[in-house]
Amino acid sequence: MIELTDPQLVEQDLVLTPADALRDVPAEGDPVDPPLAGRVRLGGPHALRLTPDELAADPALARYAEDRAALYDHYLVRLSLTFAPEPRSPRLEFAHVGLSLSSTAFAPQPVAHSMDPVRLTDAVQVQRVRRIGPQLSLLGADASLGEVGRTVTFTRNRPLVQALDLGGSAPAWEFRRTEATELTGSYPLSLVVRSGAGAVTELGCTVTAGVKAPLLRRYHRVLPDPLRLHTVL
């Protein structure tokens, strides 16, 4: 295992434009939501080709890259997502960083060979009341008369960040606010892209965020210039 120095990722403020309302569809002629600005910043993406020379500090990794050099190129791609702590309203409910990998070659197509983080969770304490009513019927939460109840407390791990489509051409990270943690602060993200040897691969990026204002609404931004991954001779 080797450690590579983190690049100085230049962050940009993203102005996310309204997508569709998730819980209602505005009627024709209704005012359009303003863009979501000042809430999300994106660093990168930045790519480094993982050659045997780059991996020389770990002989096993260097051999792995060299043995597959005739078939594959590998790139370490880094980016970061930062949620601004202010303003607090509207509250960020979720965010999604989606990447699209495409190549000029017919095969093999580029894929996300590995991703980090794969999953980050929050331990959230949950209470449930189990109620039994007449004829030993399990009752819903609104039951109140003639039931016997017992409160059960347990801990559930709620996903805060999780990777999607590992091994595919559309890798992504999904962020969701939990009862314990708001979406705030910076999250470094990285993946190793495996593409066909000598192929030119393009990496597109789309950032989506959802807020309650007061209904749940979605905003997105597609980066205009895909990142090109290719061997410079």
Side-chain angles (χ1 to χ4, degrees):
M1 180 180 295
I2 64 171
E3 294 184 2
L4 298 174
T5 303
D6 286 332
Q8 295 298 315
L9 298 178
V10 178
E11 286 193 332
Q12 58 175 314
D13 284 309
L14 297 182
V15 177
L16 282 71
T17 56
D20 55 342
L22 298 182
R23 292 187 179 173
D24 69 332
V25 178
E28 186 176 353
D30 284 355
V32 178
D33 291 338
L36 185 69
R39 305 300 303 276
V40 181
R41 297 196 301 271
L42 180 70
H46 174 275
L48 171 69
R49 184 165 177 250
L50 298 176
T51 65
D53 289 340
E54 287 286 350
L55 304 173
D58 188 320
L61 278 177
R63 285 195 301 272
Y64 178 89
E66 189 170 11
D67 290 345
R68 288 155 180 77
L71 292 176
Y72 302 115
D73 289 331
H74 292 85
Y75 298 89
L76 175 63
V77 178
R78 286 172 167 151
L79 58 161
S80 64
L81 199 66
T82 297
F83 304 106
E86 299 292 343
R88 294 180 178 272
S89 180
R91 186 175 67 190
L92 287 170
E93 295 292 330
F94 69 86
H96 185 273
V97 180
L99 306 178
S100 60
L101 302 172
S102 59
S103 175
T104 57
F106 290 104
Q109 286 299 298
V111 296
H113 182 67
S114 63
M115 300 174 68
D116 182 66
V118 173
R119 186 178 175 90
L120 299 177
T121 61
D122 270 343
V124 178
Q125 202 170 64
V126 182
Q127 278 195 346
R128 291 287 185 270
V129 177
R130 313 298 186 195
R131 291 186 174 89
I132 297 179
Q135 290 81 50
L136 297 181
S137 299
L138 291 171
L139 305 178
D142 56 348
S144 59
L145 297 176
E147 81 273 7
V148 176
R150 183 167 69 94
T151 299
V152 178
T153 301
F154 58 95
T155 300
R156 172 179 292 170
N157 288 321
R158 298 282 176 86
L160 174 64
V161 184
Q162 57 184 348
L164 305 173
D165 202 32
L166 175 62
S169 61
W173 285 273
E174 186 173 71
F175 300 76
R176 288 201 173 270
R177 183 185 69 84
T178 71
E179 292 91 334
T181 303
E182 299 289 337
L183 290 184
T184 184
S186 296
Y187 293 85
L189 310 170
S190 59
L191 73 157
V192 173
V193 174
R194 188 187 70 196
S195 62
V200 176
T201 295
E202 288 195 343
L203 183 148
C205 181
T206 301
V207 177
T208 305
V211 300
K212 276 191 175 179
L215 298 173
L216 191 60
R217 296 188 179 276
R218 182 172 60 194
Y219 298 78
H220 68 225
R221 168 73 185 277
V222 179
L223 267 63
D225 300 316
L227 179 67
R228 288 172 62 86
L229 311 177
H230 63 99
T231 303
V232 179
L233 300 178

